[in-house]
Amino acid sequence: MSVDSNKSIPATGRRYWRSLDELADTPEFKDWLHREFPKGASELLDDVSRRHFLKIMSASFALAGLGLAGAGCRRPVENLEPFGQQPENYVFGTAQYYATAMPTRIGALPLVVKSYEGRPIKIEGNAQFPGSNGGTDRYAQASILSLYDPDRARRFLAGGKTVSREEALKFLDDLSSQMASNGGEGVAFLVESCTSPSRARLQQIIAGKFPKSQWFNYDAIDSGIHQRAATQAFGHSVRPAFRFDKAKVIVSLDCDFLGTEDDGHNHIKRFAASRAAGAGMNRLYTIESLFTLTGANSDHRLRVPASLIPQIAYVMAGALAQMGVPIPGADLGKSTTQNFIPPLPSGIDPKWIAGCVKDLIAAGKNALVVAGQRQPLEVHLLAYAINSALGSVGATLILHETEELVQGDFSAATPNTLIVLGGNPAFYLNKLGPRPQKVVRLGYYEDETAAVSDWVFPAAHYLESWGDARASNGTLVPVQPLIQPLFGGLTELEFLARIAGESQTSPYEIARATFGRTDEDWKAFLFNGFLKGEAKSGDYSIKGAAPAVSSPAAPSAASLEVVFYRDAKMDDGFYANNGWMQELPDPVTKITWDNAVLISHKTARELGVQNGDMVKITLDGQSVEGPIWTQPGMADYSLGLALGYGRTAAGRIGTGVGFNAFKIFKGKYVETGATLTKTGQTHVIATTQTHWSMEGRPAVREANLDKYLADKDFADGFGDKEPPVVQPLYPNPFDATKSKFQQWGVAV
């Protein structure tokens, strides 16, 4: 029997749509569908589509060819000669594996890296790490490509001119001598956050030798808000760990813990562990403005502007107090023993809040309330107070002891000499404040900050570095190299040691001295990839009061809300030149090689804009232009702007991709009072959302929990149980009477 492969199969089950055009079933969508792959010869006749197709493909080919050939994949030694004596345990052609870690702002990712002939080629998580399943995140996977990026910093610069390594190192020695003579007066360090004990030790040495110098931590993405809030709430320097695997009821206050929040690989694993269908399945409530991966996985989702979430959190606290769960330290306007609930923002169903609060009380210590890093400090403090009232601290909320996180206010600093370690402040701060007389920069790229620096030092990749760090739970992990620096870059430890005037500048010796245990312990530390028994946690009670929050006016078409968010691929812009990340579709919008102004369908209709329209967003006198993208699930009168795009000096891949939302970003992730106007221009946005067609087949097979428990094979009931049979081009050489699904194989 043969089946016409061009004939649509009748849809069974509920119909799902993948875009607004598909939902409307417009003639434009039908025309596009017939031009889409695989029957897409006409695609290359369309100038716009052909140009964009070739743009992406050329970038991919450049990445594959130039990325590896240009970087010069080589062994750790420059002069390649045969081994006079083969190293112990080395076998030619056999891959080797080393434990290391990828430093991040809040805690390193324990890794095991595969090395072949002296070159690291694959990254995986360390499955032996306590509580780990060997998981990583997209940034760790993409970092292997950054190692071989031909556009990374490869030279030492002074005044824009290339100088020798020796001359550059002599400058650091002279700078150290100058700082010693005046106590470091007029010198400021601007660094990214990290959890390295060795860097913390060098920082203390610098503070002791140069007491007049200043040290500032600044991150374009505020990952430290969770630790700062927990430290203030509990009166101890602690870092929270959210145990989603033990939580039966979870409330997310604008916290995309399954998407763009830090430590996502742990969050996903733990959330999935308590998501197993049955009596132990958790329930997730999400309150958010953007449509996120967490919102997509929620059982109950409340779509509200982000600026109203503090008020809603306060309402929840009041409702808990009314139902006999007083919130410690919370000023609810009246005594928590009275029946008092603050007013809800208009348009929100009180039954939603009441049902959520009722579930929290029923779950008790097995409940968990988490606030997102975009929300202000007050919301985090209120979330910790609610968790404390429910008894969640020590159960679903674990507090790990950690070093105090000191940031300082860089905006008020006026140094003569500014030393920048990592980051790209000239991009995401738009400037470095009043221009210092001298800017010294250690960075991985010759980027926007390098362009305004007097001295530029190339930074080593973490796979080329010796060092140490702490994982998100406080466990000490090693950072050990798999290859010598390809372009002679310096590690942060060596750079700081030279400025500190230390006699020992070897990163290995610095990390070894910080470790301070026996040689056998050190060997075990490197072999295992972590130090056993290092994570410390405690049971703390709320010390600080949860402050009251304001009740702002709801946004409108004339006064829009802007939500700045961490992009799932670019982070703060560091990965802009990584072709893998640019081609990776956004997990929600499915946009590639671009960012857009996310807007709800209702708001777009009121403002008279549609997908691809270029608009100008003005906020506090500053403006930026970008293309519109209507995103179902967005809160009305709220605009979503992804950070990290619009780079002007990223490299051959990332320069000029997208628009720079940092131009109107002033440190607050949720702002109100913005206006939007059309520019009259349009922009083509690439998205994989509607690639291919299901041809009538159900895109999703769904069932509620009761139906799934009754029949776990329910999905087999959708459509044909046997695949359609297409008449083969050549007759089947096998006996057709035995099976109508005979297969053949070939081996070369």
Side-chain angles (χ1 to χ4, degrees):
M1 181 183 70
S2 64
V3 176
D4 185 356
S5 61
N6 294 320
K7 184 177 180 180
S8 296
I9 301 174
T12 58
R14 183 181 298 179
R15 182 185 178 191
Y16 288 85
W17 50 274
R18 296 174 295 164
S19 72
L20 296 177
D21 289 334
E22 185 175 346
L23 175 65
D25 199 22
T26 61
E28 290 81 7
F29 174 76
K30 292 180 179 179
D31 177 66
W32 177 89
L33 179 63
H34 290 295
R35 295 190 300 115
E36 177 65 346
F37 295 114
K39 301 176 181 179
S42 62
E43 189 77 8
L44 295 180
L45 301 178
D46 184 330
D47 288 340
V48 175
S49 299
R50 181 177 183 274
R51 182 168 60 252
H52 192 66
F53 174 81
L54 293 178
K55 170 187 173 183
I56 294 179
M57 293 308 297
S58 63
S60 300
F61 288 133
L63 187 63
L66 297 176
L68 294 180
C73 301
R74 59 181 178 85
R75 296 175 182 273
V77 292
E78 295 182 1
N79 301 319
L80 300 181
E81 298 177 358
F83 287 126
Q85 181 176 355
Q86 183 167 309
E88 185 180 359
N89 298 325
Y90 182 82
V91 179
F92 283 102
T94 301
Q96 295 178 301
Y97 297 84
Y98 297 90
T100 186
M102 174 182 170
T104 71
R105 290 182 287 264
I106 68 157
L109 271 69
L111 303 174
V112 172
V113 182
K114 180 180 181 179
S115 177
Y116 186 80
E117 297 297 328
R119 298 182 298 273
I121 61 173
K122 187 67 175 75
I123 290 174
E124 294 296 346
N126 188 343
Q128 303 301 317
F129 186 80
S132 172
N133 64 344
T136 62
D137 60 14
R138 54 199 172 280
Y139 302 114
Q141 292 295 334
S143 69
I144 192 73
L145 197 63
S146 297
L147 172 66
Y148 300 113
D149 189 345
D151 291 328
R152 57 181 287 194
R154 307 170 63 166
R155 54 186 180 154
F156 297 85
L157 298 175
K161 298 181 179 179
T162 303
V163 297
S164 67
R165 177 186 178 93
E166 291 72 21
E167 185 177 351
L169 295 181
K170 183 179 183 302
F171 165 76
L172 291 183
D173 296 336
D174 294 341
L175 178 61
S176 177
S177 299
Q178 177 186 340
M179 293 174 64
S181 65
N182 62 4
E185 185 175 4
V187 176
F189 293 82
L190 183 61
V191 305
E192 288 185 299
S193 297
C194 85
T195 60
S196 168
S198 289
R199 194 184 85 168
R201 184 168 67 86
L202 289 173
Q203 179 183 347
Q204 293 177 352
I205 292 174
I206 290 173
K209 287 186 175 182
F210 317 124
K212 295 182 181 180
S213 65
Q214 296 175 290
W215 187 281
F216 301 98
N217 280 37
Y218 185 85
D219 302 308
I221 305 299
D222 187 9
S223 303
I225 181 68
H226 295 289
Q227 179 177 336
R228 294 199 309 274
T231 297
Q232 180 173 330
F234 296 98
H236 295 270
S237 184
V238 291
R239 179 185 293 119
F242 305 118
R243 296 304 303 264
F244 297 103
D245 53 331
K246 297 182 178 180
K248 299 306 179 186
V249 175
I250 303 167
V251 176
S252 165
L253 301 173
D254 199 22
C255 181
D256 185 20
F257 61 86
L258 296 179
T260 57
E261 287 276 336
D262 289 287
D263 210 27
H265 68 294
N266 281 325
H267 296 336
I268 293 170
K269 177 193 66 176
R270 292 168 181 167
F271 177 76
S274 64
R275 201 64 176 169
M281 185 175 181
N282 64 25
R283 175 170 288 186
L284 172 60
Y285 291 83
T286 301
I287 306 173
E288 62 182 11
S289 57
L290 304 179
F291 187 46
T292 67
L293 280 177
T294 303
N297 282 275
S298 61
D299 301 289
H300 308 279
R301 180 176 181 268
L302 188 60
R303 180 177 65 103
V304 297
S307 57
L308 300 183
I309 290 178
Q311 185 178 352
I312 295 174
Y314 202 62
V315 169
M316 293 177 60
L320 284 166
Q322 182 193 34
M323 299 179 70
V325 183
I327 308 302
D331 179 10
L332 298 178
K334 292 184 179 181
S335 170
T336 56
T337 61
Q338 299 182 18
N339 296 333
F340 172 75
I341 299 179
L344 264 177
S346 61
I348 296 177
D349 187 358
K351 294 181 180 179
W352 198 99
I353 301 296
C356 176
V357 169
K358 183 179 179 180
D359 268 1
L360 283 175
I361 295 175
K365 68 176 184 178
N366 294 321
L368 178 61
V369 180
V370 290
Q373 61 188 37
R374 289 189 292 266
Q375 287 297 311
L377 180 67
E378 293 77 13
V379 177
H380 289 261
L381 295 176
L382 199 53
Y384 288 129
I386 292 174
N387 283 313
S388 180
L390 293 170
S392 303
V393 179
T396 60
L397 174 61
I398 309 299
L399 300 173
H400 294 289
E401 298 177 7
T402 186
E403 293 79 13
E404 185 178 0
L405 184 63
V406 180
Q407 290 186 299
D409 184 11
F410 175 69
S411 62
T414 57
N416 296 323
T417 300
L418 178 63
I419 301 173
V420 182
L421 275 66
N424 189 6
F427 168 63
Y428 46 66
L429 292 177
N430 296 306
K431 60 180 181 178
L432 293 176
R435 180 71 166 85
Q437 296 178 6
K438 187 180 298 179
V439 178
V440 183
R441 199 295 178 85
L442 173 69
Y444 197 73
Y445 289 98
E446 292 184 19
D447 50 19
E448 294 85 348
T449 301
V452 297
S453 299
D454 300 285
W455 283 86
V456 176
F457 293 76
H461 193 275
Y462 75 91
L463 292 177
E464 302 169 333
S465 306
W466 278 106
D468 53 20
R470 292 196 180 276
S472 59
N473 68 351
T475 300
L476 186 66
V477 293
V479 179
Q480 60 174 322
L482 281 84
I483 190 172
Q484 285 186 355
L486 295 174
F487 305 115
L490 296 179
T491 67
E492 195 175 65
L493 297 183
E494 180 181 358
F495 187 84
L496 287 174
R498 288 185 176 276
I499 291 179
E502 291 290 281
S503 59
Q504 183 55 262
T505 60
S506 165
Y508 172 84
E509 296 297 340
I510 294 172
R512 179 69 184 86
T514 304
F515 184 77
R517 293 171 174 80
T518 67
D519 288 342
E520 291 303 316
D521 290 338
W522 174 252
K523 291 178 181 178
F525 177 53
L526 298 181
F527 179 80
N528 295 325
F530 60 91
L531 184 61
K532 297 181 179 179
E534 269 292 293
K536 298 179 181 179
S537 60
D539 188 7
Y540 303 99
S541 58
I542 289 287
K543 302 296 183 183
V549 296
S550 59
S551 302
S556 63
S559 180
L560 297 166
E561 171 188 88
V562 178
V563 179
F564 300 95
Y565 65 95
R566 179 192 189 189
D567 186 72
K569 304 174 296 176
M570 297 299 100
D571 191 31
D572 61 359
F574 177 81
Y575 291 93
N577 207 53
N578 193 304
W580 285 354
M581 295 300 246
Q582 289 284 8
E583 292 194 13
L584 180 67
D586 182 271
V588 175
T589 67
K590 307 303 180 185
I591 293 175
T592 64
W593 290 89
D594 226 331
N595 61 335
V597 179
L598 304 185
I599 192 171
S600 75
H601 193 52
K602 174 185 175 182
T603 309
R605 194 166 55 245
E606 287 190 26
L607 297 177
V609 295
Q610 59 184 353
N611 284 356
D613 284 346
M614 290 294 293
V615 297
K616 177 188 287 187
I617 301 170
T618 303
L619 179 66
D620 294 334
Q622 304 294 322
S623 61
V624 68
E625 295 183 3
I628 284 289
W629 186 260
T630 52
Q631 176 58 52
M634 282 282 298
D636 295 329
Y637 311 118
S638 184
L639 307 177
L641 302 186
L643 300 170
Y645 288 87
R647 296 285 307 279
T648 59
R652 69 194 72 186
I653 292 175
T655 297
V657 175
F659 65 92
N660 184 10
F662 278 118
K663 289 183 177 180
I664 60 174
F665 177 70
K666 304 302 178 185
K668 290 180 61 178
Y669 292 88
V670 180
E671 295 271 17
T672 55
T675 59
L676 182 150
T677 55
K678 295 176 65 174
T679 67
Q681 304 296 317
T682 59
H683 178 79
V684 178
I685 300 176
T687 174
T688 63
Q689 178 71 26
T690 50
H691 277 194
W692 308 99
S693 170
M694 297 302 295
E695 297 293 346
R697 301 177 182 87
V700 177
R701 294 167 171 83
E702 70 168 0
N704 59 31
L705 180 59
D706 293 337
K707 182 177 179 181
Y708 172 75
L709 293 176
D711 179 15
K712 295 185 179 181
D713 296 324
F714 75 93
D716 292 341
F718 290 82
D720 295 332
K721 292 188 177 182
E722 294 182 347
V725 180
V726 180
Q727 185 64 37
L729 182 63
Y730 297 103
N732 193 329
F734 298 98
D735 184 1
T737 61
K738 293 181 180 179
S739 173
K740 58 183 179 181
F741 294 115
Q742 289 281 4
Q743 301 295 322
W744 69 284
V746 61
V748 178

